[in-house]
Amino acid sequence: MSAALRILVVSPVPSHPTNQGNAARILAFGKELQLRGAVLDYLYYGMEGLTNDQRIAMQDFWHRFFFLRSSPLRRPKYPSCWGIDDWCPDELCDYTKQLLKTYRYDAIIVNYVWMSRVLLGLDISCKVIDSHDLFSNRHKILEQNNLDPRWFFTSSDEERQGFERADIVIGIQDNEAERIRLMQRSEVVTIGHVIPPSFLLGHRKTEAFFLFGYLGSANPWNVNSVRELDAALTSKAVQAKKNPRARKAALTKKIEEPISWTLAGTICRRDLHLKSAPFKMGLVDALDDFYCNVDCVINPMVGGTGLKIKTVEALSFGNPVIGTNDAFEGLPTTHALHTLARVEDVVDAMADYRSHLSLRPDLLRASRELYFRYMADVSAQYDRLAAELKKARPLARQFKALTTRSSSSEPVRDHTVLANS
């Protein structure tokens, strides 16, 4: 019997609550490694602050929880972008080394390439970066989509430098893993996103209150996509009224109503001025409150990078999903309504879904089959990662763990908030 893998996870964002894709990713990642026998401690560099509820939740989930208050950002290294280490200060690097010296971890997993500076000078068997996304020239992609550059963005050379500090780099989908592979010499693997099948656990009503719904955070890509959807819905409604057949139908009171939908999540906090007037569900206490009350989930994603976790989440709740190619990027799609080219096509698909009842069970079946295909792939990816981490662990340490007990007097679950908390 081999000793459990001891892993330190370093992140600039909290794992709780899971109201954003990055938090959902981190929590799922931790759960999957725990299921494979790993023991994980969590160091949160508090760039998004820390509430008491968050602290309690993270203490309950992770074996040990550590918190370091974030420092003000330094000036960018370059006039046009951030340097790869601009958001990773000395205090975090020093604190990470202190934890490794105290707890003797087998591996360290750093979330985001721009936190890779903590890997420098570490005496540890395996250094891992979970990339989440790619950040080289991200500002240019945003500007091309008429969005203001926000959050972290850097150059290709800077990002390559960050990736080269790891033994293993993780891409969240094959396309990104391949791009990382072209950048540097570390081992690159794809690890997708696992979400349990809620629709098999009874989290689904027989009838939903809303026919269509969208749930998302207020990040710029989501905001832009929702605005595009609103414009397409409004345009379709205007065109319908100008159509001679529509005018005739209006006289006989048979005119088709505009497509209605609901909007939920932190995106509701933005004043979007949507002319299609969706019902704003706002923040939901539990995801069930949204998915059980929406029949078909829509994701009109325009652009964006990385895996769209909201798409996987919708599939996990058993909902049929309509979306663009961007919304389903990285997923093994087969249905036409999972590969729509434009937001206007999403609106047409919504109209078809509303009008043709025979389309509904077909899309439902395709969405659930897609979920199971993808989950099978991701489960195998985690198995391979766990095997790689165990392989990298020194044999001497494994033998020592089997023959001696740790001399540490600390309890098994040390929910400690340390440093300048």
Side-chain angles (χ1 to χ4, degrees):
M1 179 179 177
S2 61
L5 274 169
R6 290 174 293 171
I7 300 173
L8 177 65
V9 180
V10 181
S11 172
V13 297
S15 60
H16 296 69
T18 55
N19 56 5
Q20 296 188 134
N22 53 5
R25 164 68 170 184
I26 292 167
L27 188 62
F29 205 105
K31 285 180 179 178
E32 290 303 308
L33 290 181
Q34 287 172 348
L35 288 172
R36 288 159 178 81
V39 174
L40 292 90
D41 292 355
Y42 196 73
L43 168 55
Y44 167 40
Y45 178 60
M47 293 188 74
E48 297 185 5
L50 179 70
T51 67
N52 191 53
D53 286 345
Q54 286 177 303
R55 177 181 60 80
I56 292 171
M58 287 188 277
Q59 285 177 341
D60 286 344
F61 179 78
W62 303 99
H63 180 249
R64 297 185 185 91
F65 170 65
F66 308 105
F67 173 69
L68 182 67
R69 193 181 303 279
S70 63
S71 306
L73 292 177
R74 64 180 73 183
R75 291 176 61 89
K77 182 178 179 180
Y78 302 103
S80 60
C81 66
W82 297 98
I84 194 64
D85 296 332
D86 285 351
W87 288 21
C88 189
D90 293 339
E91 306 92 87
L92 178 59
C93 298
D94 293 341
Y95 189 39
T96 302
K97 290 177 182 175
Q98 176 188 332
L99 292 178
L100 262 67
K101 190 177 296 184
T102 302
Y103 297 104
R104 303 291 295 172
Y105 296 105
D106 298 303
I108 180 171
I109 299 174
V110 172
N111 287 275
Y112 295 109
V113 66
W114 40 269
M115 299 291 285
S116 62
R117 187 179 176 221
V118 303
L119 299 176
L120 296 176
L122 296 185
D123 179 19
I124 192 167
S125 303
C126 191
K127 304 172 186 178
V128 182
I129 294 174
D130 186 4
S131 64
H132 286 256
D133 208 340
L134 295 178
F135 295 90
S136 52
N137 300 316
R138 186 182 177 88
H139 52 306
K140 295 179 181 178
I141 298 172
L142 285 161
E143 288 168 351
Q144 288 169 5
N145 287 270
N146 298 315
L147 298 173
D148 292 331
R150 297 183 182 180
W151 219 39
F152 187 86
F153 50 86
T154 190
S155 68
S156 298
D157 287 341
E158 290 287 298
E159 189 164 44
R160 181 185 298 109
Q161 177 184 331
F163 284 137
E164 287 182 346
R165 295 164 174 170
D167 301 306
I168 299 174
V169 178
I170 297 170
I172 200 169
Q173 56 173 307
D174 287 335
N175 289 345
E176 291 184 4
E178 185 56 35
R179 289 173 61 189
I180 296 169
R181 204 169 280 118
L182 295 172
M183 283 188 198
Q184 46 82 57
R185 296 181 297 274
S186 303
E187 181 179 357
V188 182
V189 298
T190 300
I191 306 288
H193 183 64
V194 169
I195 306 181
S198 295
F199 66 93
L200 295 182
L201 305 175
H203 299 174
R204 184 92 179 121
K205 294 180 180 177
T206 53
E207 287 195 25
F209 190 80
F210 300 99
L211 187 58
F212 300 108
Y214 176 93
L215 171 66
S217 65
N219 73 54
W221 295 110
N222 291 347
V223 169
N224 186 53
S225 299
V226 165
R227 283 176 171 155
E228 291 277 342
L229 176 67
D230 177 67
L233 285 168
T234 303
S235 175
K236 187 175 182 67
V238 170
Q239 290 173 11
K241 288 181 180 179
K242 292 180 178 179
N243 188 296
R245 291 184 180 180
R247 289 198 298 270
K248 184 177 180 180
L251 295 174
T252 59
K253 297 184 179 181
K254 292 181 181 179
I255 189 168
E256 193 176 69
E257 292 293 325
I259 297 173
S260 60
W261 59 298
T262 186
L263 186 66
T266 55
I267 194 170
C268 291
R269 292 174 175 169
R270 295 289 299 271
D271 192 7
L272 300 177
H273 304 290
L274 302 177
K275 294 181 180 179
S276 58
F279 177 84
K280 291 187 178 180
M281 198 180 292
L283 258 64
V284 291
D285 294 329
L287 292 174
D288 289 16
D289 295 339
F290 174 79
Y291 290 109
C292 290
N293 285 294
V294 168
D295 182 74
C296 180
V297 176
I298 50 174
N299 190 357
M301 195 71 186
V302 179
T305 55
L307 182 76
K308 309 312 181 296
I309 288 177
K310 69 171 69 62
T311 301
V312 182
E313 182 181 270
L315 295 170
S316 78
F317 274 87
N319 295 71
V321 185
I322 295 172
T324 58
N325 282 313
D326 289 332
F328 284 87
E329 186 178 0
L331 300 178
T333 55
T334 58
H335 198 280
L337 299 193
H338 294 160
T339 57
L340 299 170
R342 307 172 306 151
V343 174
E344 290 80 5
D345 298 329
V346 172
V347 172
D348 289 340
M350 291 167 70
D352 290 341
Y353 187 88
R354 181 177 66 175
S355 303
H356 305 297
L357 298 183
S358 61
L359 178 59
R360 300 184 187 185
D362 179 58
L363 181 60
L364 177 63
R365 181 173 57 254
S367 297
R368 293 189 176 183
E369 289 175 352
L370 171 59
Y371 168 80
F372 285 118
R373 282 197 306 276
Y374 179 66
M375 286 301 115
D377 290 344
V378 176
S379 180
Q381 292 165 359
Y382 273 106
D383 288 342
R384 289 192 291 271
L385 176 64
E388 285 295 315
L389 294 177
K390 290 175 183 176
K391 191 191 306 180
R393 181 173 52 184
L395 292 175
R397 187 174 298 171
Q398 295 183 49
F399 179 76
K400 182 179 179 181
L402 287 170
T403 56
T404 65
R405 298 188 64 177
S406 172
S407 60
S408 173
S409 60
E410 292 180 273
V412 174
R413 292 182 65 83
D414 176 17
H415 295 153
T416 308
V417 179
L418 297 180
N420 51 342
S421 58

